[in-house]
């Protein structure tokens, strides 16, 4: 992509109405724009990052047997009344709206109920199970607090997967697979080292649910972490008997502030019973389907990466989620420079390498400042000076190393990053 065609502008100053680091940096780099409190627009650069995160999640969900679909956002109250979750006393963050004829509708904040209902038409016998479905979809929640930038939005992207099994054993097996898939997602998006499986409250069906918590000062949760055992306990279940049960000693735990990036739950037959989702087992009996739900905040993950990889000058994107692989910058507009830069841009593009080419007529200070804000992992500079050495200046942002690379080596290197 030619940077001269990118309509978004970077900003040197922090936006006045933001307190969260992720929002400040993402707005300054031209990744997102604020629409209203808790509601953000994804600009082209931001959408590229979000799509990469989504694609990694998609691949990992597909690997464990997930089938992607997309449920409706507008929700029929009847489906939620069946489980008791339509009431504002039970669920305090519903957005509700009305048809012209005054019929009430809701905007989906999660999707257990409508999916359990949908599955009635598709699951009849034990032969139809297991089924694992997921979606990557916009959720709406009327959150009281919206000060954490895209970490807590009123409109946000979530991946939600739901498992349907014949029994508890099937659920348990899949649940463990989901944990592994989540681990792979966090590793691939570059926050694996800071993200820990965390025991949280489980509700009625299982003793615990599990969260994935990324250690970060911007988080809203407190967890107690054992770095040796690579597990943590959410403060909501931090009690002597829980420690004993998990074989943890208070002394080995450190108290940390963290961001809940994912949450997995064993639901049992709660929603299946409420909606009437049953199947006929091998013995010919009609029994309820056993469910699980597996949430992952896609926009929250985006914000978490920005928090963890952000500096005073911009965001150092991990390779796998960076908006582009290479930021090619030409300095000055001497013809030798522009011609060579264009050639390199075309050669790299021909190899399907994602390049943002700063072909603008602008000063070095502005170009470097923008490159820092956008944070593409590899910055290649071509100038009269580098061409005098028959090379480009190659800055690897991740390792903080700059070197001269011979012109005829650039393509080969770029293919292998
Ligand atoms: P929280 O405790 O942060 O309010 P939750 O426990 O209500 O979240 P879930 O219903 O389990 O969240 O949703 C699954 C995932 O969606 C969460 O783990 C989180 O990553 C993400 N998420 C939840 N609420 C928001 C929000 N308002 N904005 C962005 N992401 C969110
Ligand atoms: Mg939670």
């Amino acid at each position: 992509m030619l940077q001269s065609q990118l309509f978004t502008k970077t900003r040197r100053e922090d936006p006045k109405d933001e307190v969260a680091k992720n929002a400040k940096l993402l707005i300054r780099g031209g990744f997102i724009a604020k629409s209203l409190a808790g509601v953000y627009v994804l600009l082209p650069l931001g959408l590229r990052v979000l799509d990469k995160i989504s694609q990694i999640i998609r691949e990992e969900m597909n690997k464990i047997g997930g089938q992607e679909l997309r449920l409706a956002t507008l929700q029929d109250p009847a489906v939620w009344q069946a489980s008791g979750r339509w009431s504002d006393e039970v669920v305090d963050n519903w957005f509700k709206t009305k048809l012209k004829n005054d019929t009430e509708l809701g905007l989906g904040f999660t999707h257990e109920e409508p999916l359990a209902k949908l599955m009635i038409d598709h699951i009849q016998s034990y032969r139809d199970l297991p089924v694992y479905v997921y979606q990557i979809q916009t959720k709406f929640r009327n959150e009281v607090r919206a000060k954490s930038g895209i970490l807590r939005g009123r409109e946000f992207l979530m991946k939600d997967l739901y498992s349907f099994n014949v029994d508890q054993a099937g659920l348990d097996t899949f649940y463990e697979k989901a944990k592994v898939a989540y681990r792979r997602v966090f590793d691939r998006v570059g926050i694996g080292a800071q993200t820990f499986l965390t025991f949280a409250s489980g509700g009625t069906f299982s003793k615990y649910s599990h969260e994935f918590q990324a250690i970060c000062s911007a988080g809203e949760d407190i967890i107690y972490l054992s770095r040796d055992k690579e597990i943590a306990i959410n403060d909501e279940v931090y009690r002597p008997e829980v420690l004993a049960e998990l074989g943890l000693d208070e002394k080995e735990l450190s108290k940390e502030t963290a961001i809940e990036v994912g949450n997995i739950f064993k639901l049992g037959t709660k929603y299946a019973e409420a909606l009437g989702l049953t199947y006929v087992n091998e013995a010919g009996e009609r029994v309820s389907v056993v469910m699980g739900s597996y949430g992952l905040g896609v926009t929250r993950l985006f914000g978490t990466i920005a928090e963890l990889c952000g500096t005073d000058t911009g965001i150092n994107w991990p390779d796998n989620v960076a908006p582009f692989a290479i930021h090619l910058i030409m300095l000055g507009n001497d013809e030798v420079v522009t011609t060579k830069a264009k050639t390199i841009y075309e050669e790299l593009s021909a190899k399907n390498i994602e390049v943002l080419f700063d072909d603008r007529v602008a000063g070095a200070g502005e170009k470097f400042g923008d490159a820092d804000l956008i944070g593409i992992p590899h910055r290649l500079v071509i100038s009269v000076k580098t061409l005098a050495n028959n090379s480009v200046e190659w800055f690897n942002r991740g390792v903080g190393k700059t070197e001269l690379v011979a012109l005829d080596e650039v393509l080969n290197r770029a293919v292998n990053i």
Side-chain angles (χ1 to χ4, degrees):
M1 180 177 204
L2 299 178
Q3 205 166 337
S4 60
Q5 320 249 290
L6 184 66
F7 76 86
T8 53
K9 300 273 183 291
T10 56
R11 298 198 205 176
R12 290 289 171 265
E13 304 293 323
D14 280 340
K16 298 264 176 305
D17 56 344
E18 293 287 356
V19 287
K21 174 180 168 187
N22 70 85
K24 286 181 188 170
L25 286 173
L26 290 169
I27 289 172
R28 283 179 57 197
F31 292 90
I32 63 169
K34 188 179 201 158
S35 180
L36 53 101
V39 182
Y40 292 88
V41 172
L42 285 157
L43 298 170
L45 290 174
L47 189 57
R48 289 182 77 96
V49 176
L50 199 75
D51 282 346
K52 295 209 168 157
I53 298 171
S54 301
Q55 186 53 26
I56 288 171
I57 295 170
R58 185 174 280 125
E59 286 168 16
E60 295 303 338
M61 295 305 114
N62 290 346
K63 265 188 220 160
I64 56 170
Q67 300 178 51
E68 189 172 2
L69 51 47
R70 189 149 315 153
L71 296 164
T73 291
L74 292 175
Q75 295 293 307
D76 177 358
V79 178
W80 297 84
Q81 276 150 358
S83 68
R85 286 212 287 180
W86 178 250
S87 154
D88 291 323
E89 276 84 64
V90 178
V91 174
D92 63 5
N93 59 16
W94 267 117
F95 273 112
K96 292 180 178 173
T97 186
K98 276 184 182 162
L99 295 179
K100 296 276 187 217
N101 69 7
D102 259 8
T103 308
E104 266 197 305
L105 297 178
L107 272 63
F109 68 97
T110 182
H111 280 87
E112 284 82 1
E113 284 86 340
L115 190 60
K117 177 167 185 279
L118 175 85
M119 284 301 169
I120 295 171
D121 289 338
H122 302 279
I123 297 171
Q124 270 98 41
S125 112
Y126 67 92
R127 288 189 207 87
D128 299 324
L129 292 165
V131 180
Y132 309 113
V133 293
Y134 72 96
Q135 58 177 345
I136 296 174
Q137 191 225 29
T138 302
K139 298 280 192 271
F140 294 86
R141 292 188 183 184
N142 201 344
E143 302 277 3
V144 182
R145 214 175 148 271
K147 288 200 171 61
S148 302
I150 61 168
L151 296 178
R152 184 174 295 286
R154 297 198 164 106
E155 173 180 338
F156 60 96
L157 201 62
M158 192 203 284
K159 184 284 299 175
D160 42 330
L161 184 145
Y162 303 88
S163 62
F164 300 87
N165 286 94
V166 288
D167 57 15
Q168 170 84 35
L171 167 63
D172 290 347
T173 305
F174 181 77
Y175 193 83
E176 294 310 311
K177 282 191 193 168
K179 279 186 194 166
V180 176
Y182 271 56
R183 255 280 46 93
R184 281 198 295 253
V185 169
F186 303 126
D187 287 342
R188 288 180 65 186
V189 303
I191 62 161
Q194 297 99 321
T195 307
F196 297 91
L197 182 74
T198 304
F199 287 77
S201 62
T204 48
F205 187 75
S206 63
K207 198 153 187 188
Y208 304 108
S209 70
H210 292 89
E211 296 168 342
F212 288 85
Q213 295 273 2
I215 307 299
C216 177
S217 60
E220 295 177 8
D221 288 21
I222 298 292
I223 63 166
Y224 294 86
L225 170 68
S226 162
R227 286 202 182 260
D228 284 349
K229 297 187 176 139
E230 296 187 350
I231 51 170
I233 308 179
N234 193 305
D235 71 344
E236 62 183 22
V237 293
Y238 183 71
R239 285 186 287 278
E241 64 270 25
V242 174
L243 290 182
E245 196 177 302
L246 301 176
L248 293 168
D249 190 305
E250 202 184 325
K251 289 190 219 68
E252 66 183 305
L253 302 174
S254 62
K255 186 178 177 182
E256 310 278 355
T257 304
I259 301 170
E260 179 202 310
V261 281
N263 196 182
I264 62 176
F265 249 95
K266 293 182 182 175
L267 300 170
T269 53
K270 181 177 171 185
Y271 295 100
E273 273 172 33
L275 277 302
L277 174 61
T278 59
Y279 71 98
V280 177
N281 68 14
E282 279 185 81
E285 301 148 349
R286 188 164 280 284
V287 290
S288 291
V289 173
V290 176
M291 289 175 61
S293 78
Y294 311 79
L296 213 169
V298 187
T299 24
R300 186 174 287 184
L301 202 47
F302 182 19
T304 303
I305 300 167
E307 290 281 344
L308 293 173
C309 304
T311 68
D312 291 344
T313 51
I315 301 164
N316 297 334
W317 293 106
D319 288 336
N320 289 342
V321 300
F324 292 89
I326 288 178
H327 202 165
L328 177 66
I329 298 177
M330 61 176 209
L331 292 185
N333 52 358
D334 293 75
E335 210 182 311
V336 277
V337 175
T338 53
T339 310
K340 195 67 215 171
K342 267 187 205 135
T343 309
I344 292 181
Y345 173 61
E346 278 155 19
E347 285 172 355
L348 293 172
S349 303
K351 294 273 181 207
N352 287 325
I353 297 166
E354 294 175 314
V355 185
L356 180 63
F357 175 27
D358 192 347
D359 59 334
R360 297 173 304 167
V361 182
E366 185 179 345
K367 290 194 172 195
F368 285 130
D370 284 352
D372 285 344
L373 279 173
I374 297 172
I376 295 167
H378 299 271
R379 186 192 70 197
L380 275 56
V381 175
I382 304 183
S383 65
V384 172
K385 223 169 87 193
T386 70
L387 285 184
N389 287 308
N390 253 322
S391 53
V392 305
E393 184 198 86
W394 188 308
F395 173 55
N396 184 331
R397 201 175 282 284
V399 295
K401 202 174 110 190
T402 307
E403 59 188 316
L404 284 180
V405 173
L407 285 171
D408 55 12
E409 267 297 306
V410 169
L411 196 57
N412 191 29
R413 271 254 198 154
V415 172
N416 292 305
I417 51 178

